[in-house]
Amino acid sequence: SSFVAVVVVCLSPTMNRVDKILGHLSQSGSALSSSSSSSAAAASAVRGRLNRSDDDVVIVSSLRTPIGRARKGYFSGEYVEELLAAVLKATVERTGVDPASIGDIVVGTVLGQGSQRANECRMASFLAGIPETVPIHTVNRQCSSGLQAIAHVAASIQAGYYDIGIGAGVESMSTAKFKWEGSVNPNVKKHNAAAACLIPMGITSENVAARYGISREKQDKLAAMSHARAIAATKQGRFKDEIVPVKFTVTNPETKEQTTHVADKDQGMRPGTTVEKLAKLRAVFKKGGSTTAGNASQVSDGAAATLLMKRSKARELNLPVLGVFRSFAAVGVDPAVMGIGPAVAIPEAIKKAGLSQNDIDLYEINEAFASQATYCVEKLGLSWDKVNVNGGAIAIGHPLGMTGARMTATLLHEMHKRPGARYGVVSMCIGSGMGAAAVFEVEQ
């Protein structure tokens, strides 16, 4: 079992006194309604300053590769070590951090074979120029693995194991084997919950749609919006700060001649995607169902890395703070409807951060399937104006182990582009019936 530590933000007695004082000011009557708004803004600013601690776990860099389509895309012929090495190297180079000072590297990865993938990640760190003295290990909590890696590093820094660490994620779905290894324990079939862990992910999507009344039209609307937003964001350069350009090789199948290219944009977006076009696609997991290739996430390749450290260390190194890690929660849900995980994990993470849902400015909720993403947004009463504002996995792609780290990079960089945005949430569902979520703060 994985060890999960949660960073809980506690308000000091001084904070409570400030809240009371500012609260009295904001309740001074309807005649002062305009000043009440000013008082609320002042309260938020004061809370932010007083809540800063040298022991805070802060993020100073969060980068990712472009995401390529699996099997036919940029990185279908690339080794996984090259993808991970690209973001590790860029992290060190862009921040100027001494790589020998890194206490640990944790890499979320799902489909790679256990010991082989662990070795591939170690080799990637060497290819990135990181010395042998820096350890590395992998973690697998299915689709949340990249976020889990970040949470592991944050918890380790909070515990005092080291001051600087990298939480990363990588996946090459082009080279993965999508099959169960060995036979299934016959006792599993005697236990409903255990047996439900074997339900194909596409069927769990159909289960969510049927159980909670998520129509095909709603799913296709989300898919079309995801593509439109991702295309617009790419054209506007909104991903530029988080993407590390990566070289890849193309081999001519006839001449065997190889040419080198550079990927600097995500590959999965499909211009011209409309609800009408999506409605023509057939269901792929269940006859008469509603989950299609068009309203489900894409299989993809990519890597991402987030550099975390104590606030005191960031100040010592004169590194600007990209964000603050405020809380993390992992929860369990019915495996048959595993996609509902974010609807349970998000409130838990927000509560652990000492916040309310009204405090959250932006959400990155993984679009594993349009059915489950739609359900979670509706269940929590969220506005799509705050959710996946630059598109999600349906358009961008979902390299399983990378996703949580990718979403973290996307969230933090987007929040910096929005004056006044302070708190953001990253969340996803997890195969076999779980959900995970983390709260981040941006200090503007």
Side-chain angles (χ1 to χ4, degrees), residues 124-263:
S125 70
F126 291 141
L127 293 177
I130 295 172
E132 63 183 23
T133 54
V134 177
I136 190 168
H137 72 277
T138 60
V139 62
N140 185 349
R141 198 196 285 274
Q142 307 274 50
C143 299
S144 72
S145 297
L147 183 62
Q148 185 68 63
I150 292 170
H152 269 21
V153 172
S156 295
I157 292 173
Q158 196 77 11
Y161 296 158
Y162 45 80
D163 289 339
I164 302 175
I166 293 177
V170 67
E171 206 72 63
S172 173
M173 298 182 80
S174 290
T175 59
K177 297 178 181 178
F178 291 86
K179 66 177 184 178
W180 186 271
E181 296 289 341
S183 60
V184 176
N185 182 348
N187 288 329
V188 165
K189 298 178 182 178
K190 302 174 185 178
H191 191 289
N192 289 338
C197 292
L198 297 173
I199 296 175
M201 293 296 96
I203 297 299
T204 70
S205 173
E206 294 288 1
N207 291 345
V208 169
R211 186 178 299 187
Y212 301 106
I214 307 301
S215 69
R216 168 71 182 269
E217 183 180 9
K218 282 185 177 181
Q219 295 175 58
D220 288 345
K221 280 184 177 180
L222 170 54
M225 181 174 69
S226 184
H227 281 280
R229 287 182 171 186
I231 290 167
T234 300
K235 288 181 178 178
Q236 294 165 13
R238 300 190 83 83
F239 296 131
K240 188 175 180 180
D241 293 339
E242 68 196 64
I243 288 181
V244 176
V246 178
K247 292 181 180 180
F248 66 98
T249 302
V250 174
T251 303
N252 186 306
E254 296 179 359
T255 66
K256 305 303 179 183
E257 180 184 357
Q258 292 187 327
T259 55
T260 301
H261 305 264
V262 176

Side-chain angles (χ1 to χ4, degrees), residues 78-119:
E78 301 301 311
Y79 289 100
V80 71
E81 297 97 318
E82 299 295 344
L83 297 178
L84 182 56
V87 288
L88 293 178
K89 184 177 182 180
T91 297
V92 171
E93 289 180 345
R94 294 190 186 187
T95 60
V97 166
D98 177 4
S101 69
I102 299 169
D104 199 3
I105 302 171
V106 185
V107 184
T109 185
V110 179
L111 298 175
Q113 294 182 6
S115 60
Q116 178 175 324
R117 180 51 51 84
N119 271 315

Side-chain angles (χ1 to χ4, degrees), residues 294-319:
N295 60 32
S297 59
Q298 301 180 35
V299 291
S300 315
D301 306 324
T306 295
L307 180 63
L308 302 95
M309 60 183 65
K310 277 190 176 181
R311 186 190 293 277
S312 57
K313 180 60 68 172
R315 185 182 298 115
E316 175 190 325
L317 298 175
N318 197 31
L319 289 171

Side-chain angles (χ1 to χ4, degrees), residues 9 22 32 41-42 61 72 83 113 139 167 178 184 186 194 233 272 285-286 315 332 352-353 379 384 405 420 428:
V9 178
L22 291 170
L32 298 176
S61 173
K72 297 179 181 179
L83 297 178
Q113 294 182 6
V139 62
F178 291 86
V184 176
F285 298 104
K286 177 182 176 182
R315 185 182 298 115
K352 289 181 184 299
K379 176 66 176 178
W384 282 106
M428 66 286 294

